[in-house]
Each structure stands twice: as structure tokens, then as C-alpha cells.
Amino acid sequence: MPPLGTPPPDAPNPGTPAQGLAAETEGEEAFRRIANCTPSMIWFSDQHGNCLFANRHHEETLGYPVSELLGQGWRHLVHPEDLDAYTATVDRALARREPFQTVLRLRARDGRLYWVRVDAAPRLSADGEFLGFVGIDTDMTESHRTEEALERLVRQRTRDLSEANRRLKEQIEERNRLEASLRQMQRAEALGQLTAGVSHDFNNLLTVILGNLRLLQRQPLRSACRPLPSRGGWKRSAWPPSAAPCSPRSSSPSPAASGSTPAPWT
């Protein structure tokens, strides 16, 4: 079996330009037949970006007849928000004649949106002349929906974590306030206990003082009958002994007169 792309031995040799053109045309027809049997959206364009072919899978997926996609008809499939970026990508690739890859949204006839990844490569003639691009559009809708769901889950999880962090900060602040209030109450309680202790001790001392004052009030004063100090020494009271006002027996006869022993002071 000859390698792929090698003509069989009995095939005519395309030696003339007409024969070469016929071979290329036959090759394109074979490509079209194969592409129409492929469950992927395959297309090719000319060197100006006009669509020359789109397989039947475009119509099966998007609902538009293939004839409406030829030329510049493909533009109405592209989502308006993606059209400018995709057109710029295609124009840059046409100018550089290099492959390109991009992701865009295609709008179906029933209004559904399809996320597709476009992979395109230069299409060359047998002489190496640039003829345009051949590309395949891969449906990425399900994977994109999965990615969007994951992103929504991550955003929701981030919001939940932010809310939990906010509540935790509020709880920490409330705890700090309660601890500060508790410390203030403990200081006030300690001060109250100290004040109560001092008041109790003072009351005890005051009770002793008041008791002594009451005791002194019940007893007569004796300081008037005692010798009074002076600068020159001690001297007796100015009152005569017989007339001392503090003597309980001042009106009785003197001991010398009565001949009895003087009684002690009580």
C-alpha cells in the first residue's frame, strides 16, 4: 500500500497545469466528502477571509444552511461582543500567513450560544502558494459551562469565607470589649473590697476611741489636785490642801485634828 498522499502507480502524471488543477479540484472534492462525514465543524477560506466551504455539521449544530455561511456570511454567527476581536485575529493571521487559535461564541438560529475553540492553519497549493485557511471549530460549550459553574462555586465560597471572616472579626471585637468590661469590673470589685477593709479597720479603731471617751466621761477628772509643772520645778496647787476641790472629804476634819490615819484616794 503506497504511503498517504502518494498517487497510485496507474494514476496519470499531472504534468500539465490543467492536469494539476484537475488534481487539486479532485482533492478538494475528496476533502469535502470527508469533512461532511466528520462530526466537527470544518471549514476553509480563501486568502481574503471569505468562507469557501463549511461542512454539514455547521448546519446540524447551528441550524443555518451552509449557503448562508459562505463568503462573509459567517459574521452573523459570531456573538457581537466577540466579533471585533475575532476579526482582528483573522486579519493578523492573514497578513502573517500563520496559524491561529482563539475562543469565541457562536449564536445558533434558535438563540442558543455555543462556545467554540477555533484552530486554523494556512492552506497552501502544490506550488506553496497561500490559498487561505483551513480550520476546525470544536464545541467547548459543556466544558465552558462546567468552568463557569466552578467559577461561580469559587466566588460563592470566597463570599462565604469573607462573611465568616467578617463575623469572626466581630466576635473577636465583642470578646475584647467584654474582656475589657470584665477587667474594669474586677478592678472596681477589688477597689470596693479594699475600701470595705479600710472602713472596717477604721470602724474598729473608732469604736475603741469612742469606748475610751465614754469611760473617761464616767470618771471624775483628777488632774486639778496633782502638782502642776512650772519652769522652776514642781509646785503645789494654789489651793490649800484643806480646800482642794477634788478631795471627796474636803468638808471633814483634818487627819491631825481627828487623830486618825488618812484614808487613801479612791
Side-chain angles (χ1 to χ4, degrees):
M1 181 178 180
L4 185 63
T6 303
D10 55 349
N13 184 15
T16 63
Q19 290 175 336
L21 181 60
E24 289 182 3
T25 302
E26 184 179 354
E28 286 188 3
E29 290 299 328
F31 172 79
R32 292 169 186 266
R33 288 194 299 271
I34 295 173
N36 283 326
C37 297
T38 303
S40 299
M41 292 181 285
I42 300 175
W43 53 269
F44 63 81
S45 68
D46 62 10
Q47 62 271 30
H48 304 293
N50 297 308
C51 181
L52 301 180
F53 168 77
N55 67 343
R56 285 196 296 265
H57 197 66
H58 283 84
E59 183 175 353
E60 295 172 358
T61 303
L62 303 174
Y64 291 99
V66 172
S67 59
E68 295 184 13
L69 308 181
L70 301 180
Q72 295 292 317
W74 56 267
R75 288 178 172 270
H76 73 274
L77 295 179
V78 182
H79 192 280
E81 295 180 0
D82 300 337
L83 182 59
D84 291 341
Y86 180 69
T87 301
T89 299
V90 172
D91 292 342
R92 183 169 56 252
L94 286 172
R96 299 177 181 178
R97 299 182 179 183
E98 61 183 12
F100 69 91
Q101 182 185 90
T102 187
V103 176
L104 73 159
R105 289 167 290 181
L106 297 181
R107 184 171 50 192
R109 183 182 288 273
D110 58 4
R112 288 183 298 175
L113 288 178
Y114 288 87
W115 285 87
V116 298
R117 187 189 68 209
V118 180
D119 294 276
R123 186 169 62 93
L124 305 177
S125 66
D127 299 332
E129 180 184 358
F130 177 72
L131 301 178
F133 283 99
V134 58
I136 180 170
D137 299 343
T138 304
D139 187 2
M140 305 288 293
T141 305
E142 290 301 325
S143 61
H144 187 78
R145 287 175 181 172
T146 303
E147 182 179 353
E148 285 184 337
L150 182 60
E151 290 179 353
R152 287 194 298 269
L153 182 62
V154 170
R155 289 194 296 268
Q156 181 62 38
R157 183 59 177 168
T158 302
R159 287 193 295 268
D160 293 342
L161 291 176
S162 299
E163 179 64 20
N165 188 37
R166 184 187 63 81
R167 291 197 299 268
L168 180 60
K169 288 182 178 180
E170 291 179 353
Q171 292 175 0
I172 292 175
E173 292 176 356
E174 181 65 20
R175 178 181 176 182
N176 292 336
R177 287 194 296 269
L178 291 176
E179 289 180 350
S181 299
L182 180 60
R183 288 192 295 268
Q184 185 68 22
M185 293 172 61
Q186 289 174 346
R187 286 195 294 268
E189 182 181 3
L191 182 60
Q193 293 177 354
L194 178 62
T195 304
V198 172
S199 176
H200 179 71
D201 295 341
F202 182 76
N203 287 336
N204 291 339
L205 181 61
L206 185 61
T207 301
V208 174
I209 295 174
L210 292 176
N212 292 331
L213 288 177
R214 294 191 189 98
L215 182 62
L216 291 175
Q217 287 176 354
R218 295 193 191 101
Q219 296 178 359
L221 295 175
R222 303 172 181 175
S223 59
C225 60
R226 294 179 181 178
L228 298 176
S230 62
R231 292 184 179 180
W234 292 90
K235 67 179 180 178
R236 287 186 173 275
S237 172
W239 299 323
S242 60
C246 61
S247 173
R249 296 180 177 86
S250 59
S251 61
S252 300
S254 62
S258 60
S260 61
T261 305
W265 291 101
T266 57

